[in-house]
Amino acid sequence: MSVDPLPVIARGLILDSEFTSCRGTVMDANPDMPEEMAGRIVEEALKFVAACAANPATGLAPSRIVDEGWHALILHTAMYAELCDRLGSFVHHFPGYDPTNYDPPIIDRTRDLITALGYSPDPELWGPPSDETLVSVAAQCQHAPDCTIVIIPKPKPKG
């Protein structure tokens, strides 16, 4: 299966109505969060999922803030499955329950692969988990270094 080229804006990976719903999920989990911030978080999560799907053998991880958006995407199960299918690999979530767990080289690698796809990572949302001066999130997991995301791609059909 060939994967269509990625849109220039990660938000274009899903329908506007799906984006709005995911943004609402982030806001529901974080009642004091402004809508604009919740949208930024969902957009970064879309970039993260795209990078994971495009680099299935590479251990990647979201920042704690971006993980909040990833959780919102995953909760929309049908949309998330369709998104991953369009991207070519299902990106599984392996929770890391230590919110202080942070490995800068993994985050740097993730941001570099997001950039390689043509997206611009939002630097404010890819910081260490202790940096809650920008935004505090409900997600209590941090995915590095013991639980980086490695995707096993679907076998290609014969023929």
Side-chain angles (χ1 to χ4, degrees):
M1 161 172 53
S2 69
V3 177
D4 293 332
L6 297 176
V8 176
I9 298 173
R11 181 179 175 150
L13 290 169
I14 57 177
L15 298 173
D16 285 344
S17 60
E18 294 168 333
F19 184 88
T20 299
S21 185
C22 290
R23 182 181 62 207
T25 299
V26 171
M27 292 169 62
D28 287 347
N30 302 277
D32 295 328
M33 183 178 290
E35 184 177 293
E36 182 270 338
M37 176 58 72
R40 285 172 60 193
I41 290 170
V42 172
E43 184 150 3
E44 293 307 302
L46 287 165
K47 294 172 189 177
F48 170 72
V49 172
C52 288
N55 299 280
T58 307
L60 302 178
S63 69
R64 183 169 171 205
I65 292 173
V66 173
D67 192 49
E68 183 76 24
W70 189 23
H71 290 183
L73 293 172
I74 292 168
L75 287 174
H76 294 76
T77 58
M79 178 218 61
Y80 185 72
E82 290 170 8
L83 169 66
C84 289
D85 189 51
R86 282 192 311 276
L87 294 172
S89 294
F90 192 87
V91 180
H92 291 277
H93 183 277
F94 300 96
Y97 290 107
D98 181 356
T100 64
N101 195 7
Y102 178 67
D103 189 340
I106 292 171
I107 299 297
D108 290 344
R109 180 172 60 237
T110 302
R111 283 192 313 237
D112 289 346
L113 291 172
I114 287 170
T115 301
L117 290 175
Y119 298 122
S120 297
D122 184 332
E124 289 186 318
L125 301 185
W126 285 93
S130 60
D131 182 12
E132 294 195 4
T133 56
L134 177 67
V135 62
S136 177
V137 295
Q140 291 297 310
C141 53
Q142 178 67 39
H143 294 275
D146 296 328
C147 57
T148 56
I149 311 305
V150 178
I151 308 305
I152 300 171
K154 294 187 286 189
K156 297 189 189 254
K158 294 181 181 179

